[in-house]
Amino acid sequence: MGKRHPSSEPRRKRTAPPGSRSDAALVELNIEKLVQGGDGLARPDDSPVVLVAGSAPGDRVSCRTWKEGRRLLRGEIVELLSPGPGRRSVPCVHAAACGGCQWLHLTEETQLTAVDDLLAEALRRLGGLDPTDIERPSCRQVSDGTGYRQRARFQLDLRTPALGFAGHRSHRVVDLERCLVLEPELDTLRGAVRDRLPELSTLLEPLGRAELRVDLPRSDAAAVMLDLGTVAGDEPNENRRAAALDLLRELPPVATASLSDRNRPVMQHGQAIEFRRGPTHDREAHVGFHAPGIFLQPSRAGAAALVAEVLEQLDVIAAGRSLDVLELHCGTGGFTLPLAAAGHRVTAVESQVPATQLLERAATEASLPVEVLADSDLSQLRRLIEDGRRFDLVVLDPPRGGAAKACELLPALRPEAVIHVSCDAATLARDAKALSAAGLVPRRAQPFLLFPQTAHFETVTTYEAQASCI
């Protein structure tokens, strides 16, 4: 689980609100389906398609629309004329303004069905594959939809002040009284930081904005990173920055805290947090270590589900053998340690040096012989190919941008199989197309709704090499 993006929510392109645009128009629309990103799609006669936020399949809406590019219209619901069958009442008071949960208005069944449809469409349209040729079990949901997030990325408006998430298609910070999808301990910590926000604002003058990344690998030990995003001349003096960090360290259950400027570490207090990986599966219950700024799967139960699926597919591939496994984007070892504990020889690659140090520490404590390489996936792949190395299996868990160039190189390692963990259907389809062209054919794609109420989902895809490629 080596994704190096700080959370499962990508930064979304912001546009001016429709009410401020001269090209806004009011129309009635029928919502046909959901698309990547979570919006509903309508096809008006003699008009480009319209993407409507907060809509559901089957809705009829009165909608204000405006142009975004030459062939796309965006829409904002003015009135819900008749609801679709998958719509439900929204249980969050912040839903209308907050951009965090795109699908809070949809039933869980509708969300699961949408994921299945979106995955199939991406494979067909972007991957050039026939989804019916691939085993695609129905999307799995691994939590009840509330209280499941162990990490969050909060925006701080230091002038208002406010703490929360950016509004939908807006830079405005929506101040949260509570958040339904956060683990209770994480939401409590969010509230504690919010209470101290006036003090933080004073310490961090002249800044107007900052970002607070909070991870909760253990319910009693949080790791926080305060990113100031400053440019030369804007930053508070060192004493004030240190005082802001001390303020955060005082808040239970914060165990370690760091401060960075535009992701560049400046200062840190506290040690790495030791925790147990995975609450549900004995082969994944290994000691792990976490520090601020290192990727942590946002869903605790979701991390366990992904590991269980990878191990299940690995068992099918191995058929009782011990395999040579290459893992790319290994992070701190979410997959590495279970793979090694299952008796396989693992070479793990990760470009983020602090993550590799934590992985090596965990592997040493577990007495697992893991070869850890601190390098970019492409540089290391080229070196392994030059050295004539080959691997029975490649496991890759790339960031949201996918692994297009790595997929072009993988066939040179002559793997029997590839297991690909993806957090974006579009880049998954692109990577699947590249692997398929090289003779690594997708056999199974299992989607997971790890982040209910949002349009983000993960997929574990297993590829098998044609005999001529081995």
Side-chain angles (χ1 to χ4, degrees):
M1 301 169 194
K3 298 178 177 66
R4 295 187 298 279
H5 49 83
S7 80
S8 65
E9 304 89 351
R11 295 186 182 275
R12 303 184 64 166
K13 180 180 178 182
R14 313 295 183 187
T15 59
S20 67
R21 302 179 64 102
S22 60
D23 57 349
L26 194 63
V27 296
E28 291 188 7
L29 299 171
N30 295 314
I31 304 301
E32 178 183 318
K33 63 178 181 178
L34 297 169
V35 298
Q36 300 288 345
D39 292 343
L41 180 144
R43 301 179 190 268
D45 294 336
D46 302 321
S47 173
V49 298
V50 183
L51 300 185
V52 183
S55 61
D59 278 355
R60 182 163 180 79
V61 296
S62 175
C63 190
R64 184 179 291 111
T65 66
W66 68 99
K67 287 184 178 180
E68 185 172 287
R70 292 187 302 172
R71 303 183 60 186
L72 178 66
L73 293 177
R74 290 280 178 185
E76 177 185 63
I77 297 175
V78 175
E79 182 181 0
L80 177 62
L81 302 176
S82 61
R87 179 177 283 277
R88 66 178 177 185
S89 59
V90 177
C92 176
V93 297
H94 303 293
C98 181
C101 294
Q102 306 94 341
W103 281 358
L104 198 58
H105 62 292
L106 301 176
T107 64
E108 291 179 358
E109 181 180 358
T110 302
Q111 295 182 39
L112 292 167
T113 299
V115 168
D116 290 333
D117 293 343
L118 291 172
L119 176 59
E121 182 178 6
L123 290 171
R124 179 187 302 107
R125 185 169 59 86
L126 302 176
L129 301 168
D130 185 347
T132 62
D133 291 339
I134 305 169
E135 179 187 355
R136 290 183 300 109
S138 298
C139 182
R140 296 182 193 169
Q141 180 172 328
V142 296
S143 72
D144 66 2
T146 60
Y148 66 83
R149 289 192 65 94
Q150 65 177 335
R151 82 172 318 192
R153 180 173 172 169
F154 299 111
Q155 303 301 310
L156 307 184
D157 182 337
L158 298 170
R159 292 177 178 142
T160 306
L163 181 152
F165 302 116
H168 179 66
R169 304 189 69 78
S170 167
H171 289 291
R172 184 177 66 84
V173 177
V174 178
D175 195 40
L176 299 178
E177 297 178 6
R178 64 182 295 242
C179 181
L180 296 176
V181 299
L182 302 183
E183 288 189 357
E185 296 85 358
L186 181 52
D187 196 44
T188 298
L189 177 56
R190 176 207 54 76
V193 176
R194 183 175 181 255
D195 291 342
R196 304 294 293 274
L197 203 52
E199 295 170 70
L200 273 176
S201 299
T202 299
L203 290 171
L204 295 177
E205 286 182 340
L207 289 183
R209 295 287 290 266
E211 183 174 82
L212 184 67
R213 305 169 191 175
V214 184
D215 302 335
L216 198 69
R218 282 195 345 237
S219 61
D220 63 344
V224 301
M225 172 180 277
L226 180 63
D227 191 276
L228 303 183
T230 58
V231 295
D234 289 340
E235 66 272 12
N237 66 46
E238 185 172 350
N239 289 337
R240 286 191 171 195
R241 290 187 293 179
L245 202 57
D246 287 341
L247 184 155
L248 293 172
R249 281 277 286 120
E250 294 171 359
L251 301 176
V254 175
T256 180
S258 71
L259 185 144
S260 65
D261 288 353
R262 294 186 179 274
N263 294 316
R264 178 178 58 85
V266 175
M267 57 182 71
Q268 179 167 334
H269 297 317
Q271 303 299 314
I273 297 171
E274 180 178 325
F275 69 106
R276 300 293 292 182
R277 290 188 179 277
T280 60
H281 198 286
D282 58 350
R283 286 194 294 182
E284 69 193 59
H286 302 285
V287 171
F289 294 94
H290 185 70
I294 303 296
F295 177 77
L296 181 72
Q297 181 61 250
S299 167
R300 197 182 307 271
L306 293 177
V307 171
E309 174 68 15
V310 169
L311 289 175
E312 182 179 330
Q313 296 310 307
L314 176 60
D315 287 346
V316 173
I317 296 162
R321 298 172 295 156
S322 177
L323 302 183
D324 286 315
V325 180
L326 174 65
E327 182 187 1
L328 302 179
H329 306 284
C330 66
T332 58
F335 294 116
T336 316
L337 301 177
L339 290 168
H344 302 287
R345 300 173 293 276
V346 184
T347 299
V349 179
E350 171 59 55
S351 64
Q352 195 177 27
V353 173
T356 63
Q357 294 170 339
L358 295 178
L359 170 54
E360 289 176 328
R361 179 179 173 186
T364 298
E365 295 211 4
S367 300
L368 293 173
V370 176
E371 181 185 9
V372 182
L373 303 175
D375 204 347
S376 74
D377 59 332
L378 294 178
S379 296
Q380 194 57 56
L381 274 173
R382 293 187 180 106
R383 192 171 296 117
L384 292 169
I385 292 169
E386 290 173 1
D387 292 344
R389 295 281 297 272
R390 69 155 298 187
F391 294 89
D392 303 308
L393 172 69
V394 176
V395 176
L396 65 156
D397 181 20
R400 191 168 298 278
K405 293 193 177 297
C407 288
E408 295 174 1
L409 297 175
L410 289 184
L413 300 173
R414 298 168 60 202
E416 297 176 23
V418 172
I419 299 178
H420 180 266
V421 183
S422 172
C423 61
D424 184 86
T427 54
L428 163 62
R430 183 197 62 194
D431 294 348
K433 184 176 183 178
L435 290 171
S436 297
L440 287 157
V441 180
R443 176 181 62 80
R444 173 186 169 93
Q446 172 65 69
F448 292 88
L449 188 63
L450 295 197
F451 320 114
Q453 326 313 340
T454 81
H456 308 297
F457 60 93
E458 301 253 350
T459 307
V460 178
T461 307
T462 305
Y463 302 78
E464 291 182 349
Q466 296 178 344
S468 59
C469 299
I470 300 176

PDB file of all heavy atoms in Angstrom, residues 439-467:
ATOM      1  N   GLY A 439       0.827  -9.312 -23.278  1.00  0.00           N
ATOM      2  CA  GLY A 439       0.573 -10.719 -23.010  1.00  0.00           C
ATOM      3  C   GLY A 439       0.205 -11.051 -21.591  1.00  0.00           C
ATOM      4  O   GLY A 439       0.079 -12.234 -21.230  1.00  0.00           O
ATOM      5  N   LEU A 440       0.031 -10.046 -20.744  1.00  0.00           N
ATOM      6  CA  LEU A 440      -0.440 -10.261 -19.373  1.00  0.00           C
ATOM      7  C   LEU A 440      -1.932  -9.941 -19.356  1.00  0.00           C
ATOM      8  O   LEU A 440      -2.339  -8.777 -19.350  1.00  0.00           O
ATOM      9  CB  LEU A 440       0.339  -9.376 -18.397  1.00  0.00           C
ATOM     10  CG  LEU A 440       1.787  -9.833 -18.157  1.00  0.00           C
ATOM     11  CD1 LEU A 440       2.640  -8.686 -17.667  1.00  0.00           C
ATOM     12  CD2 LEU A 440       1.816 -10.986 -17.155  1.00  0.00           C
ATOM     13  N   VAL A 441      -2.752 -10.977 -19.347  1.00  0.00           N
ATOM     14  CA  VAL A 441      -4.184 -10.844 -19.582  1.00  0.00           C
ATOM     15  C   VAL A 441      -4.937 -10.754 -18.256  1.00  0.00           C
ATOM     16  O   VAL A 441      -4.731 -11.575 -17.360  1.00  0.00           O
ATOM     17  CB  VAL A 441      -4.704 -12.044 -20.398  1.00  0.00           C
ATOM     18  CG1 VAL A 441      -6.198 -11.916 -20.643  1.00  0.00           C
ATOM     19  CG2 VAL A 441      -3.953 -12.156 -21.721  1.00  0.00           C
ATOM     20  N   PRO A 442      -5.820  -9.746 -18.092  1.00  0.00           N
ATOM     21  CA  PRO A 442      -6.593  -9.645 -16.848  1.00  0.00           C
ATOM     22  C   PRO A 442      -7.563 -10.808 -16.694  1.00  0.00           C
ATOM     23  O   PRO A 442      -8.356 -11.091 -17.585  1.00  0.00           O
ATOM     24  CB  PRO A 442      -7.335  -8.312 -16.986  1.00  0.00           C
ATOM     25  CG  PRO A 442      -7.373  -8.040 -18.455  1.00  0.00           C
ATOM     26  CD  PRO A 442      -6.132  -8.647 -19.021  1.00  0.00           C
ATOM     27  N   ARG A 443      -7.449 -11.501 -15.566  1.00  0.00           N
ATOM     28  CA  ARG A 443      -8.314 -12.659 -15.299  1.00  0.00           C
ATOM     29  C   ARG A 443      -9.446 -12.302 -14.335  1.00  0.00           C
ATOM     30  O   ARG A 443     -10.566 -12.789 -14.482  1.00  0.00           O
ATOM     31  CB  ARG A 443      -7.479 -13.798 -14.715  1.00  0.00           C
ATOM     32  CG  ARG A 443      -8.286 -15.038 -14.308  1.00  0.00           C
ATOM     33  CD  ARG A 443      -7.404 -16.107 -13.711  1.00  0.00           C
ATOM     34  NE  ARG A 443      -6.739 -15.682 -12.481  1.00  0.00           N
ATOM     35  CZ  ARG A 443      -7.328 -15.672 -11.282  1.00  0.00           C
ATOM     36  NH1 ARG A 443      -8.600 -16.024 -11.142  1.00  0.00           N
ATOM     37  NH2 ARG A 443      -6.648 -15.282 -10.218  1.00  0.00           N
ATOM     38  N   ARG A 444      -9.138 -11.448 -13.355  1.00  0.00           N
ATOM     39  CA  ARG A 444     -10.127 -11.139 -12.309  1.00  0.00           C
ATOM     40  C   ARG A 444      -9.939  -9.693 -11.882  1.00  0.00           C
ATOM     41  O   ARG A 444      -8.806  -9.210 -11.747  1.00  0.00           O
ATOM     42  CB  ARG A 444      -9.926 -12.082 -11.110  1.00  0.00           C
ATOM     43  CG  ARG A 444     -10.783 -11.759  -9.875  1.00  0.00           C
ATOM     44  CD  ARG A 444     -10.368 -12.666  -8.725  1.00  0.00           C
ATOM     45  NE  ARG A 444     -10.955 -12.254  -7.449  1.00  0.00           N
ATOM     46  CZ  ARG A 444     -12.084 -12.726  -6.955  1.00  0.00           C
ATOM     47  NH1 ARG A 444     -12.780 -13.628  -7.641  1.00  0.00           N
ATOM     48  NH2 ARG A 444     -12.537 -12.304  -5.787  1.00  0.00           N
ATOM     49  N   ALA A 445     -11.045  -8.983 -11.668  1.00  0.00           N
ATOM     50  CA  ALA A 445     -11.008  -7.606 -11.159  1.00  0.00           C
ATOM     51  C   ALA A 445     -12.059  -7.486 -10.060  1.00  0.00           C
ATOM     52  O   ALA A 445     -13.257  -7.545 -10.338  1.00  0.00           O
ATOM     53  CB  ALA A 445     -11.272  -6.601 -12.275  1.00  0.00           C
ATOM     54  N   GLN A 446     -11.583  -7.332  -8.830  1.00  0.00           N
ATOM     55  CA  GLN A 446     -12.477  -7.248  -7.671  1.00  0.00           C
ATOM     56  C   GLN A 446     -12.508  -5.814  -7.149  1.00  0.00           C
ATOM     57  O   GLN A 446     -11.525  -5.313  -6.603  1.00  0.00           O
ATOM     58  CB  GLN A 446     -12.008  -8.183  -6.562  1.00  0.00           C
ATOM     59  CG  GLN A 446     -12.760  -8.029  -5.240  1.00  0.00           C
ATOM     60  CD  GLN A 446     -14.217  -8.411  -5.345  1.00  0.00           C
ATOM     61  OE1 GLN A 446     -14.532  -9.580  -5.526  1.00  0.00           O
ATOM     62  NE2 GLN A 446     -15.113  -7.432  -5.232  1.00  0.00           N
ATOM     63  N   PRO A 447     -13.641  -5.102  -7.324  1.00  0.00           N
ATOM     64  CA  PRO A 447     -13.732  -3.738  -6.785  1.00  0.00           C
ATOM     65  C   PRO A 447     -14.144  -3.737  -5.312  1.00  0.00           C
ATOM     66  O   PRO A 447     -14.847  -4.635  -4.844  1.00  0.00           O
ATOM     67  CB  PRO A 447     -14.810  -3.096  -7.659  1.00  0.00           C
ATOM     68  CG  PRO A 447     -15.690  -4.235  -8.077  1.00  0.00           C
ATOM     69  CD  PRO A 447     -14.812  -5.456  -8.142  1.00  0.00           C
ATOM     70  N   PHE A 448     -13.698  -2.712  -4.605  1.00  0.00           N
ATOM     71  CA  PHE A 448     -14.020  -2.524  -3.194  1.00  0.00           C
ATOM     72  C   PHE A 448     -14.496  -1.092  -2.977  1.00  0.00           C
ATOM     73  O   PHE A 448     -13.822  -0.141  -3.388  1.00  0.00           O
ATOM     74  CB  PHE A 448     -12.792  -2.756  -2.310  1.00  0.00           C
ATOM     75  CG  PHE A 448     -12.301  -4.173  -2.263  1.00  0.00           C
ATOM     76  CD1 PHE A 448     -11.392  -4.620  -3.204  1.00  0.00           C
ATOM     77  CD2 PHE A 448     -12.737  -5.045  -1.280  1.00  0.00           C
ATOM     78  CE1 PHE A 448     -10.927  -5.924  -3.170  1.00  0.00           C
ATOM     79  CE2 PHE A 448     -12.283  -6.351  -1.237  1.00  0.00           C
ATOM     80  CZ  PHE A 448     -11.377  -6.796  -2.180  1.00  0.00           C
ATOM     81  N   LEU A 449     -15.637  -0.943  -2.326  1.00  0.00           N
ATOM     82  CA  LEU A 449     -16.095   0.384  -1.905  1.00  0.00           C
ATOM     83  C   LEU A 449     -15.501   0.634  -0.520  1.00  0.00           C
ATOM     84  O   LEU A 449     -16.156   0.478   0.504  1.00  0.00           O
ATOM     85  CB  LEU A 449     -17.621   0.440  -1.872  1.00  0.00           C
ATOM     86  CG  LEU A 449     -18.240   1.821  -1.632  1.00  0.00           C
ATOM     87  CD1 LEU A 449     -17.898   2.783  -2.754  1.00  0.00           C
ATOM     88  CD2 LEU A 449     -19.748   1.722  -1.468  1.00  0.00           C
ATOM     89  N   LEU A 450     -14.217   1.007  -0.512  1.00  0.00           N
ATOM     90  CA  LEU A 450     -13.526   1.227   0.762  1.00  0.00           C
ATOM     91  C   LEU A 450     -13.961   2.525   1.427  1.00  0.00           C
ATOM     92  O   LEU A 450     -13.811   2.687   2.636  1.00  0.00           O
ATOM     93  CB  LEU A 450     -12.004   1.280   0.550  1.00  0.00           C
ATOM     94  CG  LEU A 450     -11.292   0.019   0.075  1.00  0.00           C
ATOM     95  CD1 LEU A 450      -9.794   0.153   0.321  1.00  0.00           C
ATOM     96  CD2 LEU A 450     -11.823  -1.230   0.722  1.00  0.00           C
ATOM     97  N   PHE A 451     -14.469   3.455   0.627  1.00  0.00           N
ATOM     98  CA  PHE A 451     -14.787   4.790   1.132  1.00  0.00           C
ATOM     99  C   PHE A 451     -16.248   5.111   0.846  1.00  0.00           C
ATOM    100  O   PHE A 451     -16.561   5.956  -0.003  1.00  0.00           O
ATOM    101  CB  PHE A 451     -13.868   5.822   0.476  1.00  0.00           C
ATOM    102  CG  PHE A 451     -12.453   5.346   0.328  1.00  0.00           C
ATOM    103  CD1 PHE A 451     -11.895   5.130  -0.924  1.00  0.00           C
ATOM    104  CD2 PHE A 451     -11.679   5.082   1.447  1.00  0.00           C
ATOM    105  CE1 PHE A 451     -10.601   4.670  -1.060  1.00  0.00           C
ATOM    106  CE2 PHE A 451     -10.382   4.617   1.320  1.00  0.00           C
ATOM    107  CZ  PHE A 451      -9.838   4.414   0.066  1.00  0.00           C
ATOM    108  N   PRO A 452     -17.184   4.429   1.524  1.00  0.00           N
ATOM    109  CA  PRO A 452     -18.604   4.684   1.290  1.00  0.00           C
ATOM    110  C   PRO A 452     -18.929   6.170   1.434  1.00  0.00           C
ATOM    111  O   PRO A 452     -18.279   6.894   2.192  1.00  0.00           O
ATOM    112  CB  PRO A 452     -19.297   3.864   2.390  1.00  0.00           C
ATOM    113  CG  PRO A 452     -18.324   2.786   2.733  1.00  0.00           C
ATOM    114  CD  PRO A 452     -16.972   3.405   2.575  1.00  0.00           C
ATOM    115  N   GLN A 453     -19.930   6.593   0.686  1.00  0.00           N
ATOM    116  CA  GLN A 453     -20.405   7.980   0.605  1.00  0.00           C
ATOM    117  C   GLN A 453     -19.556   8.821  -0.345  1.00  0.00           C
ATOM    118  O   GLN A 453     -19.858   9.999  -0.579  1.00  0.00           O
ATOM    119  CB  GLN A 453     -20.492   8.692   1.976  1.00  0.00           C
ATOM    120  CG  GLN A 453     -20.873   7.867   3.173  1.00  0.00           C
ATOM    121  CD  GLN A 453     -22.052   6.952   2.989  1.00  0.00           C
ATOM    122  OE1 GLN A 453     -22.853   7.125   2.107  1.00  0.00           O
ATOM    123  NE2 GLN A 453     -22.148   5.946   3.864  1.00  0.00           N
ATOM    124  N   THR A 454     -18.467   8.247  -0.883  1.00  0.00           N
ATOM    125  CA  THR A 454     -17.665   8.955  -1.873  1.00  0.00           C
ATOM    126  C   THR A 454     -17.626   8.135  -3.156  1.00  0.00           C
ATOM    127  O   THR A 454     -17.957   6.953  -3.171  1.00  0.00           O
ATOM    128  CB  THR A 454     -16.218   9.197  -1.395  1.00  0.00           C
ATOM    129  OG1 THR A 454     -15.432   8.020  -1.601  1.00  0.00           O
ATOM    130  CG2 THR A 454     -16.188   9.580   0.076  1.00  0.00           C
ATOM    131  N   ALA A 455     -17.175   8.774  -4.221  1.00  0.00           N
ATOM    132  CA  ALA A 455     -17.106   8.101  -5.526  1.00  0.00           C
ATOM    133  C   ALA A 455     -15.767   7.416  -5.751  1.00  0.00           C
ATOM    134  O   ALA A 455     -15.484   6.955  -6.854  1.00  0.00           O
ATOM    135  CB  ALA A 455     -17.355   9.121  -6.639  1.00  0.00           C
ATOM    136  N   HIS A 456     -14.941   7.313  -4.724  1.00  0.00           N
ATOM    137  CA  HIS A 456     -13.625   6.704  -4.851  1.00  0.00           C
ATOM    138  C   HIS A 456     -13.691   5.230  -4.467  1.00  0.00           C
ATOM    139  O   HIS A 456     -14.267   4.880  -3.436  1.00  0.00           O
ATOM    140  CB  HIS A 456     -12.616   7.435  -3.964  1.00  0.00           C
ATOM    141  CG  HIS A 456     -12.602   8.905  -4.186  1.00  0.00           C
ATOM    142  ND1 HIS A 456     -12.254   9.466  -5.394  1.00  0.00           N
ATOM    143  CD2 HIS A 456     -12.932   9.938  -3.369  1.00  0.00           C
ATOM    144  CE1 HIS A 456     -12.347  10.780  -5.306  1.00  0.00           C
ATOM    145  NE2 HIS A 456     -12.764  11.085  -4.095  1.00  0.00           N
ATOM    146  N   PHE A 457     -13.093   4.375  -5.274  1.00  0.00           N
ATOM    147  CA  PHE A 457     -13.078   2.950  -4.956  1.00  0.00           C
ATOM    148  C   PHE A 457     -11.758   2.336  -5.378  1.00  0.00           C
ATOM    149  O   PHE A 457     -11.012   2.906  -6.176  1.00  0.00           O
ATOM    150  CB  PHE A 457     -14.255   2.223  -5.611  1.00  0.00           C
ATOM    151  CG  PHE A 457     -14.302   2.290  -7.115  1.00  0.00           C
ATOM    152  CD1 PHE A 457     -13.727   1.289  -7.900  1.00  0.00           C
ATOM    153  CD2 PHE A 457     -14.934   3.341  -7.766  1.00  0.00           C
ATOM    154  CE1 PHE A 457     -13.774   1.344  -9.282  1.00  0.00           C
ATOM    155  CE2 PHE A 457     -14.996   3.407  -9.154  1.00  0.00           C
ATOM    156  CZ  PHE A 457     -14.409   2.407  -9.917  1.00  0.00           C
ATOM    157  N   GLU A 458     -11.453   1.197  -4.810  1.00  0.00           N
ATOM    158  CA  GLU A 458     -10.222   0.468  -5.121  1.00  0.00           C
ATOM    159  C   GLU A 458     -10.574  -0.808  -5.874  1.00  0.00           C
ATOM    160  O   GLU A 458     -11.656  -1.378  -5.693  1.00  0.00           O
ATOM    161  CB  GLU A 458      -9.455   0.106  -3.844  1.00  0.00           C
ATOM    162  CG  GLU A 458      -9.064   1.299  -2.997  1.00  0.00           C
ATOM    163  CD  GLU A 458      -7.592   1.623  -3.052  1.00  0.00           C
ATOM    164  OE1 GLU A 458      -6.814   0.824  -3.601  1.00  0.00           O
ATOM    165  OE2 GLU A 458      -7.206   2.691  -2.520  1.00  0.00           O
ATOM    166  N   THR A 459      -9.628  -1.284  -6.698  1.00  0.00           N
ATOM    167  CA  THR A 459      -9.818  -2.519  -7.443  1.00  0.00           C
ATOM    168  C   THR A 459      -8.539  -3.337  -7.381  1.00  0.00           C
ATOM    169  O   THR A 459      -7.445  -2.805  -7.584  1.00  0.00           O
ATOM    170  CB  THR A 459     -10.157  -2.234  -8.921  1.00  0.00           C
ATOM    171  OG1 THR A 459     -11.259  -1.335  -8.996  1.00  0.00           O
ATOM    172  CG2 THR A 459     -10.512  -3.525  -9.650  1.00  0.00           C
ATOM    173  N   VAL A 460      -8.680  -4.619  -7.079  1.00  0.00           N
ATOM    174  CA  VAL A 460      -7.549  -5.552  -7.136  1.00  0.00           C
ATOM    175  C   VAL A 460      -7.730  -6.393  -8.394  1.00  0.00           C
ATOM    176  O   VAL A 460      -8.696  -7.158  -8.506  1.00  0.00           O
ATOM    177  CB  VAL A 460      -7.478  -6.449  -5.892  1.00  0.00           C
ATOM    178  CG1 VAL A 460      -6.304  -7.436  -6.012  1.00  0.00           C
ATOM    179  CG2 VAL A 460      -7.324  -5.602  -4.629  1.00  0.00           C
ATOM    180  N   THR A 461      -6.814  -6.238  -9.342  1.00  0.00           N
ATOM    181  CA  THR A 461      -6.890  -6.945 -10.621  1.00  0.00           C
ATOM    182  C   THR A 461      -5.745  -7.939 -10.731  1.00  0.00           C
ATOM    183  O   THR A 461      -4.585  -7.588 -10.456  1.00  0.00           O
ATOM    184  CB  THR A 461      -6.826  -5.954 -11.800  1.00  0.00           C
ATOM    185  OG1 THR A 461      -7.814  -4.942 -11.627  1.00  0.00           O
ATOM    186  CG2 THR A 461      -7.064  -6.674 -13.129  1.00  0.00           C
ATOM    187  N   THR A 462      -6.065  -9.156 -11.118  1.00  0.00           N
ATOM    188  CA  THR A 462      -5.064 -10.214 -11.287  1.00  0.00           C
ATOM    189  C   THR A 462      -4.890 -10.519 -12.765  1.00  0.00           C
ATOM    190  O   THR A 462      -5.874 -10.723 -13.488  1.00  0.00           O
ATOM    191  CB  THR A 462      -5.493 -11.490 -10.540  1.00  0.00           C
ATOM    192  OG1 THR A 462      -5.756 -11.177  -9.163  1.00  0.00           O
ATOM    193  CG2 THR A 462      -4.406 -12.545 -10.610  1.00  0.00           C
ATOM    194  N   TYR A 463      -3.632 -10.527 -13.212  1.00  0.00           N
ATOM    195  CA  TYR A 463      -3.291 -10.803 -14.602  1.00  0.00           C
ATOM    196  C   TYR A 463      -2.489 -12.112 -14.672  1.00  0.00           C
ATOM    197  O   TYR A 463      -1.656 -12.373 -13.793  1.00  0.00           O
ATOM    198  CB  TYR A 463      -2.428  -9.684 -15.195  1.00  0.00           C
ATOM    199  CG  TYR A 463      -3.054  -8.328 -15.148  1.00  0.00           C
ATOM    200  CD1 TYR A 463      -3.083  -7.582 -13.972  1.00  0.00           C
ATOM    201  CD2 TYR A 463      -3.606  -7.748 -16.286  1.00  0.00           C
ATOM    202  CE1 TYR A 463      -3.651  -6.324 -13.916  1.00  0.00           C
ATOM    203  CE2 TYR A 463      -4.171  -6.474 -16.256  1.00  0.00           C
ATOM    204  CZ  TYR A 463      -4.189  -5.776 -15.070  1.00  0.00           C
ATOM    205  OH  TYR A 463      -4.748  -4.520 -15.019  1.00  0.00           O
ATOM    206  N   GLU A 464      -2.715 -12.871 -15.710  1.00  0.00           N
ATOM    207  CA  GLU A 464      -1.937 -14.086 -15.932  1.00  0.00           C
ATOM    208  C   GLU A 464      -1.213 -13.971 -17.272  1.00  0.00           C
ATOM    209  O   GLU A 464      -1.783 -13.486 -18.253  1.00  0.00           O
ATOM    210  CB  GLU A 464      -2.846 -15.315 -15.938  1.00  0.00           C
ATOM    211  CG  GLU A 464      -3.432 -15.650 -14.574  1.00  0.00           C
ATOM    212  CD  GLU A 464      -4.278 -16.896 -14.606  1.00  0.00           C
ATOM    213  OE1 GLU A 464      -4.586 -17.381 -15.719  1.00  0.00           O
ATOM    214  OE2 GLU A 464      -4.644 -17.386 -13.527  1.00  0.00           O
ATOM    215  N   ALA A 465       0.044 -14.428 -17.300  1.00  0.00           N
ATOM    216  CA  ALA A 465       0.832 -14.352 -18.519  1.00  0.00           C
ATOM    217  C   ALA A 465       0.458 -15.481 -19.455  1.00  0.00           C
ATOM    218  O   ALA A 465       0.241 -16.622 -19.045  1.00  0.00           O
ATOM    219  CB  ALA A 465       2.321 -14.441 -18.187  1.00  0.00           C
ATOM    220  N   GLN A 466       0.339 -15.158 -20.728  1.00  0.00           N
ATOM    221  CA  GLN A 466       0.202 -16.204 -21.730  1.00  0.00           C
ATOM    222  C   GLN A 466       1.480 -17.014 -21.780  1.00  0.00           C
ATOM    223  O   GLN A 466       2.578 -16.512 -21.514  1.00  0.00           O
ATOM    224  CB  GLN A 466      -0.090 -15.580 -23.100  1.00  0.00           C
ATOM    225  CG  GLN A 466      -1.413 -14.843 -23.154  1.00  0.00           C
ATOM    226  CD  GLN A 466      -1.665 -14.187 -24.489  1.00  0.00           C
ATOM    227  OE1 GLN A 466      -0.756 -14.021 -25.306  1.00  0.00           O
ATOM    228  NE2 GLN A 466      -2.911 -13.810 -24.725  1.00  0.00           N
ATOM    229  N   ALA A 467       1.368 -18.313 -22.110  1.00  0.00           N
ATOM    230  CA  ALA A 467       2.511 -19.219 -22.037  1.00  0.00           C
ATOM    231  C   ALA A 467       3.702 -18.712 -22.819  1.00  0.00           C
ATOM    232  O   ALA A 467       4.853 -18.865 -22.420  1.00  0.00           O
ATOM    233  CB  ALA A 467       2.094 -20.600 -22.534  1.00  0.00           C
TER     234      ALA A 467
END
